[in-house]
Amino acid sequence: MKDARKIKDLLYEQVARIGKVFSSPKRLELIELLCQGEKTVETLAREASISVKLTSSHLRELRMAQLVETERQGKNILYRLANRSVADLWVQMHTLAEDRLVELQLALQKIATRPDDLIASDRDSLIKAARKGEVVVLDVRPSEEYLNAHLPFARSIPLEELRQRLSELPKDRSVVAYCRGPYCLMAADAVALLKDEGFTAFHLREGVAEWAISK
Amino acid sequence: MKDARKIKDLLYEQVARIGKVFSSPKRLELIELLCQGEKTVETLAREASISVKLTSSHLRELRMAQLVETERQGKNILYRLANRSVADLWVQMHTLAEDRLVELQLALQKIATRPDDLIASDRDSLIKAARKGEVVVLDVRPSEEYLNAHLPFARSIPLEELRQRLSELPKDRSVVAYCRGPYCLMAADAVALLKDEGFTAFHLREGVAEWAISK
DNA sequence: TAATCATTCCAGCAAACACTAGAATGATAA
DNA sequence: TTATCATTCTAGTGTTTGCTGGAATGATTA
């Protein structure tokens, strides 16, 4: 009887190790970044706006829970998610959070400059329209992330280059911009810029990881 | 720019609220229990072997993250998961843990008295065999949990009553026992008892929640 | 009214955690 | 060798957490 208690505690403790990794905001941000593809510590630190040392220690937690893998490439060390299911768990967790937490829903509403900028993601019809060329699906993430994975029929113009490359986009058709996911501000910025310049632009909340999981 | 940081931090902080709930072993145990159906605080405390007061405070965390709902029923208060996706997240998290953490794999191996007691869950063929009556699928959880939900064609004999009710089971066919899930010891105990008594018995690792999610 | 179920508040304790800073270490490339 | 990328150690700080115990409170039933 006492033994049964002990072994049960041990089991739940192990699962809780995974939960602990997902209980820190900064680690979640790193996970989301790693969902976009492998990255060096420096890149992760810069994109998450934290020190390299702190990044390193958060990555250590991820490593100890076996959720990431590393690979040396020259002077740099590349981190990547160990598994598709790590990204899936992140998506499922933030989806549940969005479903349950009113505070999160409110905060998310502030991101889209206007609610009508948001496009309801009807996966099939968006693909169909993109295939026919009726809309332009625009990936505004850094180009390495686009190269790693992107939505079907998407074109890449990183947010930084968008202003200079406006001429590549059509004014007679809709542009649907997306970025890393619902917590990334790049697509919203892109849509604001595009609308300013007279384009018809919409904001797709989903990123590649969310898209991959949606049924 | 500074604003973008702040709003991002806010978003990840909200998701981390969910992660925090899943980062305590005792809370995970409570979640697993709640996956079996609604329960009173007293029941949860007894089944998780912790004090009512501690149970109450863990349930408070679950409530504040909007992951459970409560309903007064007479003198008791019933807790239930707010949503199917809470159970799904628990299953997905412990599945990932089992996939990544060697320590967990080792600990799980100790549960099954013998590894060959475990049956590989080939969902379709098990259902087919159960429908034909070639095997008896046996639910050894308390009967309220069976009544709340159970596997197709499963019969209910709670572990506590099993010894007295052995005559209800056939000796010429296999018995496949299951309980709450991989971290529950009841099915393993049942299999050990049945084999002792000359039955052909196997242990199905999955519980109802795992079964519901498996593709 | 008294008994039961559950929550809450108080206080306290030990442990863990997030973050920062300084200094040392190791591995690699030029 | 020197510079770069990354980790590690030490050390400190302030916060949060899990758990315990005692006492009070509320809601419901009998």
Side-chain angles (χ1 to χ4, degrees), chain B residues 14 60 79 91 105-106 108 116 121 125 156 167 177 187 192:
Chain B
Q14 291 300 317
R60 194 166 172 276
Y79 276 80
V91 173
Q105 290 161 14
L106 291 175
L108 278 170
D116 20 321
S121 80
S125 54
S156 167
S167 61

Side-chain angles (χ1 to χ4, degrees), chain B residues 39 42 63 67 128 131 139 179 195 199 208:
Chain B
K39 289 171 184 288
E42 247 191 339
R63 241 186 304 135
L67 299 184
K128 200 178 284 179
R131 178 186 290 119
D139 187 321
C179 50
K195 292 185 88 169
F199 291 87
V208 174

Side-chain angles (χ1 to χ4, degrees), chain B residues 6 19 26 29 41 50 91 109 116 151 189 215:
Chain B
K6 271 184 203 163
K26 285 295 173 203
E29 193 169 356
V41 179
I50 50 178
V91 173
Q109 280 173 21
D116 20 321
L151 297 199
D189 287 355
K215 63 269 125 184

Side-chain angles (χ1 to χ4, degrees), chain A residues 152-169:
Chain A
F153 308 106
R155 295 187 43 192
S156 167
I157 303 184
L159 180 58
E160 290 187 348
E161 307 170 13
L162 185 55
R163 192 173 287 280
Q164 287 84 44
R165 296 174 60 183
L166 287 172
S167 60
E168 298 176 26
L169 293 170

Side-chain angles (χ1 to χ4, degrees), chain B residues 93-146:
Chain B
M93 181 174 287
H94 81 68
T95 305
L96 179 61
E98 287 152 26
D99 179 49
R100 304 304 311 165
L101 303 176
V102 187
E103 298 90 329
L104 182 52
Q105 290 161 14
L106 291 175
L108 278 170
Q109 280 173 21
K110 287 185 195 155
I111 289 187
T113 34
R114 289 193 211 164
D116 20 321
D117 288 352
L118 274 175
I119 195 172
S121 80
D122 177 353
R123 186 177 166 144
D124 287 337
S125 54
L126 182 60
I127 292 187
K128 200 178 284 179
R131 178 186 290 119
K132 288 188 193 160
E134 293 166 2
V135 302
V136 175
V137 176
L138 186 64
D139 187 321
V140 297
R141 298 174 301 160
S143 52
E144 313 87 54
E145 300 183 10
Y146 172 85

Side-chain angles (χ1 to χ4, degrees), chain A:
Chain A
M1 273 296 162
K2 287 257 173 161
D3 266 13
R5 252 302 94 208
K6 272 184 203 163
I7 185 129
K8 267 201 178 188
D9 287 350
L10 214 142
L11 293 168
Y12 287 109
E13 219 168 84
Q14 291 300 317
V15 185
R17 284 173 61 190
I18 305 290
K20 283 203 182 92
V21 171
F22 284 82
S23 72
S24 144
K26 285 297 173 202
R27 278 197 294 272
L28 292 179
E29 193 167 357
L30 292 174
I31 289 169
E32 160 122 304
L33 288 168
L34 288 169
C35 283
Q36 317 302 318
E38 48 184 21
K39 288 172 184 288
T40 66
V41 179
E42 247 191 339
T43 311
L44 288 166
R46 192 183 57 252
E47 296 185 334
S49 308
I50 50 179
S51 75
V52 169
K53 225 159 26 175
L54 183 55
T55 308
S56 199
S57 93
H58 278 310
L59 289 172
R60 195 167 171 275
E61 305 288 317
L62 283 163
R63 242 186 303 133
M64 292 203 309
Q66 310 274 64
L67 299 185
V68 294
E69 284 170 355
T70 60
E71 186 194 328
R72 177 132 229 154
Q73 196 156 78
K75 272 189 284 194
N76 299 298
I77 294 177
L78 288 178
Y79 275 80
R80 79 175 76 90
L81 297 185
N83 206 304
R84 255 281 317 255
S85 25
V86 180
D88 290 351
L89 187 58
W90 155 241
V91 173
Q92 191 155 332
M93 182 175 286
H94 81 67
T95 305
L96 179 60
E98 286 152 27
D99 180 49
R100 305 304 311 166
L101 303 176
V102 187
E103 298 91 329
L104 182 53
Q105 290 161 15
L106 293 175
L108 279 169
Q109 280 172 20
K110 287 183 194 156
I111 290 188
T113 35
R114 289 193 211 163
D116 21 320
D117 288 352
L118 273 175
I119 194 171
S121 80
D122 177 353
R123 186 178 166 142
D124 287 338
S125 53
L126 182 59
I127 292 187
K128 200 178 280 180
R131 178 186 288 121
K132 288 187 192 162
E134 292 166 2
V135 302
V136 175
V137 176
L138 185 65
D139 187 321
V140 297
R141 298 174 301 160
S143 53
E144 313 86 54
E145 300 182 11
Y146 172 84
L147 288 172
N148 180 255
H150 55 80
L151 297 198
F153 308 106
R155 295 187 43 192
S156 167
I157 303 184
L159 180 58
E160 290 187 348
E161 307 170 13
L162 185 55
R163 192 173 287 280
Q164 287 84 44
R165 296 174 60 183
L166 287 172
S167 60
E168 298 176 26
L169 293 170
K171 286 215 167 171
D172 58 339
R173 284 169 287 155
S174 291
V175 176
V176 175
Y178 74 91
C179 50
R180 288 168 181 150
Y183 307 150
C184 177
L185 311 173
M186 296 193 291
D189 287 355
V191 169
L193 170 61
L194 289 171
K195 293 185 89 170
D196 254 17
E197 298 289 335
F199 291 86
T200 311
F202 297 96
H203 178 176
L204 183 67
R205 284 185 70 244
E206 280 83 13
V208 174
E210 289 78 16
W211 190 269
I213 220 178
S214 74
K215 62 275 124 182

